[in-house]
Amino acid sequence: MSQQKPHVLLLINDEHRPDVLPVEGDQQVRTPTLDRFINEGIYFRNAYTPSPICVPARQSFISGLYPRNCGSLNFGDPMPTEVRTIPGHLGNYGYYSCAAGKMHFVGKDVMHGWRERVGRDIVGDNGYPYPAVDDENTAQFQREPGTGSKQNKVIQEIRDAQPGMGYWMLHDQYAVDGALLFLEEYFVDASYDRYKPNPLCMAVSLWCPHYPYQCPLDLFTYYMQRVEPIIEEPNDKFECNDFFKVRFGEDVTHRQAHRATAAYYGMIDWMDQQFGRVIEKLEHLNVLDDFIIVFLSDHGEMLGTKGLWEKQSFFDASVRVPFSIWYPKRFGREPQVIDQNVSLVDLFPTLCDLVDIPAPDEIDGRSLAPLIEGPTDDWRNTVYSELWRVHNGPSVMVKQDNLKYFRFDNGAGWPEQLFDLSSDPNECDNLVDDPAYAEALAGLRGKVDALPPPRRKDMDNRFIDPYRPMGGD
């Protein structure tokens, strides 16, 4: 079967701490599926999420725009339909698109350019015009005592870690089962012989390893004997919302943290197996080598680092993400590690470059193809990340070369943070008061100050303000 343009497969997971991968030196986690494509592809060692929280991160990388420009600042903010997306843009150039699993769209638009969607994540009224009614015929709801949201959620999730199929794992299994059925039909359609000749853009997007910290019993027991919890104290000269702080010996026991850590590892192992099912199907259909395969996560997980759990932090455990591209027909199969700073907003223009279609003009990302084919001495080695109306927002991070700066503009008086990752990769020594870094600090503050304000939207979720570039770095 002739194929002029490559197919695209996005393997996406949720809350994958970047150093829990063999390529990062982790000797315990088992990820043979991901290892295969990382070891034959390009791995971006310093890839950063545009926002360390699910919804804005996902709207950003699918649009190539930072949250302030894509219109999704916070967990519940819908992205305007007018924003171009990877599946919508590729669809305009002949690609057929399908997303299986988590997209985390909120609002009335549950597609944002995808032609088809599979999974439990497709939720919304899609513009149903009739408002809710509250009269004598309305159903009355009474929650059973003791049910509902967990109190002290972060702490309680650690305490509740256990073996078993977690809530989101069932969603993931549903999505992968659907993805396999879709691929069989797309490339063969044996019953009707109506396969689609278009190149395919597909996402298989899983919730794992997002908490609750649960995994199958065999994986739980395997990792309980091989991993230990991270037990650290918060940095000096640092503060954040109490929501993320977990005190060992007070909030949780060592054993509870151990169980949560083992379950987290098991979830990554299980997630890799699900991606393996997809790859096995592509091999069965004899189309794997016609694909570009991208792996990424929307953000990381603190997992006890700095005494913090969950995400919404600008420390590397939360804001740095695993990110790789496999395209042997163009780049060969020799492993390559890129050390420059890159952002997930760079994915959109990179895919456009790789499939030879023009990228949109109004976009924050940059194609990574020159970096891969490098050397590129003039790479603008600056990335941003941002949080808005959430626990640690509003706040902004900028990383330039090896220096990372972030600050909180929430009026709480939390100190600014400056780290030199070349000498302090664990981000322990806040240099904000070090005179040797005064000039660099002033420059990084200036970059944050120069960022454009978030684009305003009207009541119909349409932009009032035009696109504004993210500075002249």
Side-chain angles (χ1 to χ4, degrees):
M1 183 189 309
S2 64
Q3 182 63 50
Q4 294 184 347
K5 287 189 180 293
H7 304 298
V8 174
L9 174 62
L10 307 178
L11 300 177
I12 304 167
N13 68 4
D14 193 315
E15 206 147 328
H16 189 156
R17 184 183 168 101
D19 56 0
V20 186
L21 277 174
V23 70
E24 293 276 353
D26 193 298
Q27 300 298 311
Q28 302 303 332
V29 71
R30 300 179 301 186
T31 54
T33 304
L34 295 180
D35 295 350
R36 171 183 179 182
F37 297 103
I38 290 172
N39 294 336
E40 292 183 358
I42 300 93
Y43 181 74
F44 297 91
R45 178 82 69 191
N46 288 292
Y48 286 85
T49 181
S51 184
I53 188 171
C54 300
V55 173
R58 289 167 178 269
Q59 312 321 302
S60 288
F61 70 67
I62 202 173
S63 68
L65 298 168
Y66 282 99
R68 66 185 65 222
N69 275 330
C70 78
S72 180
L73 299 180
N74 197 39
F75 189 81
D77 287 343
M79 183 170 66
T81 297
E82 65 196 87
V83 175
R84 292 177 184 265
T85 65
I86 291 171
H89 191 64
L90 268 61
N92 287 342
Y93 288 86
Y95 274 77
Y96 194 92
S97 63
C98 175
K102 181 179 182 179
M103 287 289 107
H104 228 329
F105 296 146
V106 295
K108 295 181 178 180
D109 188 347
V110 300
M111 300 303 284
H112 283 291
W114 292 104
R115 187 74 175 269
E116 291 189 37
R117 290 193 60 192
V118 176
R120 299 283 308 282
D121 185 55
I122 310 167
V123 180
D125 59 20
N126 255 7
Y128 185 72
Y130 301 103
V133 177
D134 185 10
D135 61 21
E136 68 276 8
N137 300 308
T138 302
Q140 301 300 312
F141 303 102
Q142 184 174 355
R143 188 181 298 278
E144 185 176 343
T147 65
S149 299
K150 295 180 179 180
Q151 301 298 315
N152 300 316
K153 180 173 176 56
V154 174
I155 294 169
Q156 197 61 47
E157 290 289 2
I158 300 169
R159 293 174 179 172
D160 290 346
Q162 60 186 295
M165 283 292 287
Y167 178 78
W168 298 123
M169 302 179 92
L170 298 174
H171 286 63
D172 288 348
Q173 183 172 307
Y174 185 103
V176 173
D177 288 348
L180 302 185
L181 292 171
F182 171 86
L183 288 168
E184 186 84 35
E185 178 183 313
Y186 191 86
F187 286 106
V188 178
D189 194 4
S191 297
Y192 283 97
D193 200 24
R194 293 187 302 212
Y195 83 98
K196 297 178 176 63
N198 306 64
L200 174 65
C201 174
M202 186 171 193
V204 178
S205 182
L206 307 185
W207 286 83
C208 280
H210 191 291
Y211 56 81
Y213 305 111
Q214 291 180 247
C215 68
L217 178 60
D218 62 324
L219 298 178
F220 187 85
T221 56
Y222 179 87
Y223 287 107
M224 278 294 290
Q225 297 299 102
R226 289 168 172 81
V227 300
E228 289 291 332
I230 300 169
I231 302 177
E232 293 184 359
E233 295 294 323
N235 281 359
D236 292 335
K237 297 192 294 185
F238 172 76
E239 189 54 88
C240 72
N241 193 286
D242 290 343
F243 180 83
F244 305 101
K245 299 175 184 177
V246 178
R247 297 164 298 179
F248 283 91
E250 297 182 50
D251 299 320
V252 301
T253 66
H254 183 280
R255 188 66 173 178
Q256 288 169 331
H258 187 188
R259 288 167 64 86
T261 303
Y264 180 79
Y265 268 72
M267 293 165 75
I268 291 177
D269 192 322
W270 185 86
M271 168 273 302
D272 187 84
Q273 295 176 35
Q274 304 316 301
F275 285 151
R277 295 172 61 204
V278 177
I279 300 305
E280 183 179 5
K281 174 60 71 173
L282 296 181
E283 290 178 321
H284 174 77
L285 295 168
N286 198 29
V287 294
L288 178 61
D289 287 340
D290 296 327
F291 273 84
I292 299 168
I293 296 180
V294 176
F295 164 61
L296 63 92
S297 191
D298 55 359
H299 52 72
E301 157 69 63
M302 292 301 290
L303 206 69
T305 301
K306 316 294 183 186
L308 309 176
W309 287 69
E310 233 227 45
K311 55 264 191 178
Q312 296 186 44
S313 170
F314 295 123
F315 291 114
D316 263 14
S318 167
V319 76
R320 189 165 71 90
V321 291
F323 180 32
S324 68
I325 296 175
W326 180 84
Y327 188 15
K329 285 191 174 180
R330 177 161 173 176
F331 302 123
R333 295 180 185 270
E334 289 297 316
Q336 185 177 356
V337 176
I338 302 292
D339 288 320
Q340 284 91 337
N341 297 323
V342 304
S343 171
L344 293 185
V345 298
D346 299 328
L347 174 62
F348 192 165
T350 301
L351 288 178
C352 290
D353 195 338
L354 298 186
V355 304
D356 194 26
I357 66 174
D361 293 330
E362 296 184 349
I363 200 168
D364 293 329
R366 303 157 289 171
S367 174
L368 300 173
L371 266 186
I372 299 170
E373 296 170 332
T376 304
D377 297 330
D378 60 348
W379 179 254
R380 179 162 46 97
N381 206 27
T382 305
V383 294
Y384 299 91
S385 192
E386 52 190 338
L387 290 164
W388 291 89
R389 300 186 309 274
V390 284
H391 297 288
N392 284 338
S395 55
V396 180
M397 182 209 84
V398 56
K399 186 181 179 212
Q400 183 174 36
D401 300 326
N402 289 312
L403 292 182
K404 181 197 285 187
Y405 165 75
F406 57 94
R407 75 183 188 204
F408 306 95
D409 296 322
N410 57 5
W414 298 343
E416 298 171 283
Q417 305 292 303
L418 177 66
F419 301 100
D420 186 343
L421 274 66
S422 63
S423 58
D424 180 26
N426 294 322
E427 302 171 290
C428 295
D429 186 13
N430 184 1
L431 302 168
V432 73
D433 296 322
D434 189 329
Y437 286 85
E439 183 177 353
L441 175 61
L444 294 171
R445 284 171 173 162
K447 288 182 180 296
V448 172
D449 291 338
L451 293 176
R455 297 171 71 182
R456 296 170 300 162
K457 301 184 293 184
D458 64 19
M459 296 295 292
D460 295 316
N461 201 41
R462 295 176 299 195
F463 284 125
I464 298 172
D465 300 315
Y467 165 80
R468 302 181 181 100
M470 286 286 288
D473 302 289

